[in-house]
PDB file of all heavy atoms in Angstrom:
ATOM      1  N   HIS A 148     -11.608  -6.172 -17.060  1.00 98.00           N
ATOM      2  CA  HIS A 148     -11.947  -7.509 -17.528  1.00 98.00           C
ATOM      3  C   HIS A 148     -13.439  -7.746 -17.331  1.00 98.00           C
ATOM      4  O   HIS A 148     -14.031  -7.278 -16.354  1.00 98.00           O
ATOM      5  CB  HIS A 148     -11.130  -8.555 -16.775  1.00 98.00           C
ATOM      6  CG  HIS A 148     -11.239  -9.917 -17.372  1.00 98.00           C
ATOM      7  ND1 HIS A 148     -12.241 -10.802 -17.021  1.00 98.00           N
ATOM      8  CD2 HIS A 148     -10.487 -10.534 -18.311  1.00 98.00           C
ATOM      9  CE1 HIS A 148     -12.087 -11.911 -17.714  1.00 98.00           C
ATOM     10  NE2 HIS A 148     -11.030 -11.778 -18.509  1.00 98.00           N
ATOM     11  N   GLU A 149     -14.040  -8.489 -18.222  1.00 98.00           N
ATOM     12  CA  GLU A 149     -15.487  -8.712 -18.199  1.00 98.00           C
ATOM     13  C   GLU A 149     -15.990  -9.409 -16.932  1.00 98.00           C
ATOM     14  O   GLU A 149     -17.178  -9.327 -16.606  1.00 98.00           O
ATOM     15  CB  GLU A 149     -15.924  -9.507 -19.432  1.00 98.00           C
ATOM     16  CG  GLU A 149     -15.321 -10.889 -19.499  1.00 98.00           C
ATOM     17  CD  GLU A 149     -15.590 -11.615 -20.808  1.00 98.00           C
ATOM     18  OE1 GLU A 149     -15.849 -10.950 -21.823  1.00 98.00           O
ATOM     19  OE2 GLU A 149     -15.530 -12.845 -20.799  1.00 98.00           O
ATOM     20  N   THR A 150     -15.116 -10.086 -16.199  1.00 98.00           N
ATOM     21  CA  THR A 150     -15.552 -10.768 -14.971  1.00 98.00           C
ATOM     22  C   THR A 150     -15.532  -9.853 -13.742  1.00 98.00           C
ATOM     23  O   THR A 150     -15.941 -10.268 -12.661  1.00 98.00           O
ATOM     24  CB  THR A 150     -14.655 -11.992 -14.684  1.00 98.00           C
ATOM     25  OG1 THR A 150     -13.305 -11.548 -14.533  1.00 98.00           O
ATOM     26  CG2 THR A 150     -14.763 -13.023 -15.793  1.00 98.00           C
ATOM     27  N   SER A 151     -15.045  -8.646 -13.886  1.00 98.00           N
ATOM     28  CA  SER A 151     -14.958  -7.719 -12.755  1.00 98.00           C
ATOM     29  C   SER A 151     -16.167  -6.813 -12.689  1.00 98.00           C
ATOM     30  O   SER A 151     -16.826  -6.561 -13.693  1.00 98.00           O
ATOM     31  CB  SER A 151     -13.674  -6.889 -12.851  1.00 98.00           C
ATOM     32  OG  SER A 151     -12.564  -7.717 -12.597  1.00 98.00           O
ATOM     33  N   ILE A 152     -16.436  -6.302 -11.490  1.00 98.00           N
ATOM     34  CA  ILE A 152     -17.592  -5.434 -11.248  1.00 98.00           C
ATOM     35  C   ILE A 152     -17.090  -4.114 -10.689  1.00 98.00           C
ATOM     36  O   ILE A 152     -16.320  -4.088  -9.726  1.00 98.00           O
ATOM     37  CB  ILE A 152     -18.559  -6.077 -10.234  1.00 98.00           C
ATOM     38  CG1 ILE A 152     -19.063  -7.414 -10.762  1.00 98.00           C
ATOM     39  CG2 ILE A 152     -19.707  -5.134  -9.900  1.00 98.00           C
ATOM     40  CD1 ILE A 152     -19.780  -8.247  -9.714  1.00 98.00           C
ATOM     41  N   ILE A 153     -17.552  -3.009 -11.296  1.00 98.00           N
ATOM     42  CA  ILE A 153     -17.200  -1.673 -10.820  1.00 98.00           C
ATOM     43  C   ILE A 153     -18.491  -0.918 -10.537  1.00 98.00           C
ATOM     44  O   ILE A 153     -19.341  -0.773 -11.421  1.00 98.00           O
ATOM     45  CB  ILE A 153     -16.362  -0.904 -11.865  1.00 98.00           C
ATOM     46  CG1 ILE A 153     -15.059  -1.649 -12.152  1.00 98.00           C
ATOM     47  CG2 ILE A 153     -16.080   0.514 -11.390  1.00 98.00           C
ATOM     48  CD1 ILE A 153     -14.224  -1.036 -13.256  1.00 98.00           C
ATOM     49  N   SER A 154     -18.650  -0.434  -9.306  1.00 97.00           N
ATOM     50  CA  SER A 154     -19.832   0.357  -8.972  1.00 97.00           C
ATOM     51  C   SER A 154     -19.863   1.628  -9.816  1.00 97.00           C
ATOM     52  O   SER A 154     -18.822   2.253 -10.051  1.00 97.00           O
ATOM     53  CB  SER A 154     -19.825   0.722  -7.488  1.00 97.00           C
ATOM     54  OG  SER A 154     -19.991  -0.437  -6.717  1.00 97.00           O
ATOM     55  N   ALA A 155     -21.051   2.013 -10.230  1.00 96.00           N
ATOM     56  CA  ALA A 155     -21.213   3.159 -11.130  1.00 96.00           C
ATOM     57  C   ALA A 155     -20.691   4.455 -10.535  1.00 96.00           C
ATOM     58  O   ALA A 155     -20.265   5.346 -11.267  1.00 96.00           O
ATOM     59  CB  ALA A 155     -22.685   3.310 -11.510  1.00 96.00           C
ATOM     60  N   ASP A 156     -20.683   4.581  -9.213  1.00 97.00           N
ATOM     61  CA  ASP A 156     -20.244   5.833  -8.593  1.00 97.00           C
ATOM     62  C   ASP A 156     -18.760   5.814  -8.208  1.00 97.00           C
ATOM     63  O   ASP A 156     -18.297   6.657  -7.455  1.00 97.00           O
ATOM     64  CB  ASP A 156     -21.114   6.199  -7.399  1.00 97.00           C
ATOM     65  CG  ASP A 156     -21.176   5.121  -6.337  1.00 97.00           C
ATOM     66  OD1 ASP A 156     -20.656   4.008  -6.579  1.00 97.00           O
ATOM     67  OD2 ASP A 156     -21.751   5.383  -5.268  1.00 97.00           O
ATOM     68  N   SER A 157     -18.000   4.866  -8.743  1.00 97.00           N
ATOM     69  CA  SER A 157     -16.552   4.855  -8.555  1.00 97.00           C
ATOM     70  C   SER A 157     -15.901   5.618  -9.693  1.00 97.00           C
ATOM     71  O   SER A 157     -16.496   5.810 -10.745  1.00 97.00           O
ATOM     72  CB  SER A 157     -16.020   3.416  -8.532  1.00 97.00           C
ATOM     73  OG  SER A 157     -16.448   2.770  -7.363  1.00 97.00           O
ATOM     74  N   ASN A 158     -14.658   6.047  -9.483  1.00 98.00           N
ATOM     75  CA  ASN A 158     -13.933   6.812 -10.494  1.00 98.00           C
ATOM     76  C   ASN A 158     -12.603   6.115 -10.757  1.00 98.00           C
ATOM     77  O   ASN A 158     -11.795   5.975  -9.839  1.00 98.00           O
ATOM     78  CB  ASN A 158     -13.724   8.242  -9.988  1.00 98.00           C
ATOM     79  CG  ASN A 158     -13.181   9.148 -11.052  1.00 98.00           C
ATOM     80  OD1 ASN A 158     -12.569   8.709 -12.020  1.00 98.00           O
ATOM     81  ND2 ASN A 158     -13.384  10.446 -10.878  1.00 98.00           N
ATOM     82  N   ILE A 159     -12.391   5.697 -12.000  1.00 98.00           N
ATOM     83  CA  ILE A 159     -11.194   4.959 -12.386  1.00 98.00           C
ATOM     84  C   ILE A 159     -10.383   5.827 -13.346  1.00 98.00           C
ATOM     85  O   ILE A 159     -10.900   6.306 -14.341  1.00 98.00           O
ATOM     86  CB  ILE A 159     -11.545   3.622 -13.083  1.00 98.00           C
ATOM     87  CG1 ILE A 159     -12.615   2.847 -12.309  1.00 98.00           C
ATOM     88  CG2 ILE A 159     -10.284   2.800 -13.319  1.00 98.00           C
ATOM     89  CD1 ILE A 159     -12.247   2.421 -10.932  1.00 98.00           C
ATOM     90  N   GLY A 160      -9.082   6.008 -13.052  1.00 98.00           N
ATOM     91  CA  GLY A 160      -8.218   6.860 -13.857  1.00 98.00           C
ATOM     92  C   GLY A 160      -7.831   6.251 -15.200  1.00 98.00           C
ATOM     93  O   GLY A 160      -7.903   5.038 -15.410  1.00 98.00           O
ATOM     94  N   ASP A 161      -7.386   7.110 -16.086  1.00 98.00           N
ATOM     95  CA  ASP A 161      -6.952   6.703 -17.427  1.00 98.00           C
ATOM     96  C   ASP A 161      -5.852   5.652 -17.364  1.00 98.00           C
ATOM     97  O   ASP A 161      -4.980   5.693 -16.491  1.00 98.00           O
ATOM     98  CB  ASP A 161      -6.409   7.912 -18.208  1.00 98.00           C
ATOM     99  CG  ASP A 161      -7.487   8.925 -18.545  1.00 98.00           C
ATOM    100  OD1 ASP A 161      -8.684   8.561 -18.514  1.00 98.00           O
ATOM    101  OD2 ASP A 161      -7.129  10.085 -18.831  1.00 98.00           O
ATOM    102  N   ASN A 162      -5.897   4.735 -18.302  1.00 98.00           N
ATOM    103  CA  ASN A 162      -4.876   3.694 -18.500  1.00 98.00           C
ATOM    104  C   ASN A 162      -4.753   2.705 -17.344  1.00 98.00           C
ATOM    105  O   ASN A 162      -3.786   1.947 -17.290  1.00 98.00           O
ATOM    106  CB  ASN A 162      -3.510   4.313 -18.814  1.00 98.00           C
ATOM    107  CG  ASN A 162      -3.571   5.154 -20.075  1.00 98.00           C
ATOM    108  OD1 ASN A 162      -4.137   4.734 -21.072  1.00 98.00           O
ATOM    109  ND2 ASN A 162      -3.018   6.353 -20.006  1.00 98.00           N
ATOM    110  N   THR A 163      -5.685   2.703 -16.433  1.00 98.00           N
ATOM    111  CA  THR A 163      -5.685   1.708 -15.358  1.00 98.00           C
ATOM    112  C   THR A 163      -6.224   0.399 -15.908  1.00 98.00           C
ATOM    113  O   THR A 163      -7.109   0.385 -16.760  1.00 98.00           O
ATOM    114  CB  THR A 163      -6.510   2.210 -14.159  1.00 98.00           C
ATOM    115  OG1 THR A 163      -5.744   3.227 -13.498  1.00 98.00           O
ATOM    116  CG2 THR A 163      -6.848   1.120 -13.170  1.00 98.00           C
TER     117      THR A 163
END
Side-chain angles (χ1 to χ4, degrees):
H148 191 272
E149 63 188 23
T150 60
S151 290
I152 300 168
I153 299 175
S154 293
D156 56 352
S157 291
N158 189 337
I159 313 298
D161 292 341
N162 300 315
T163 286

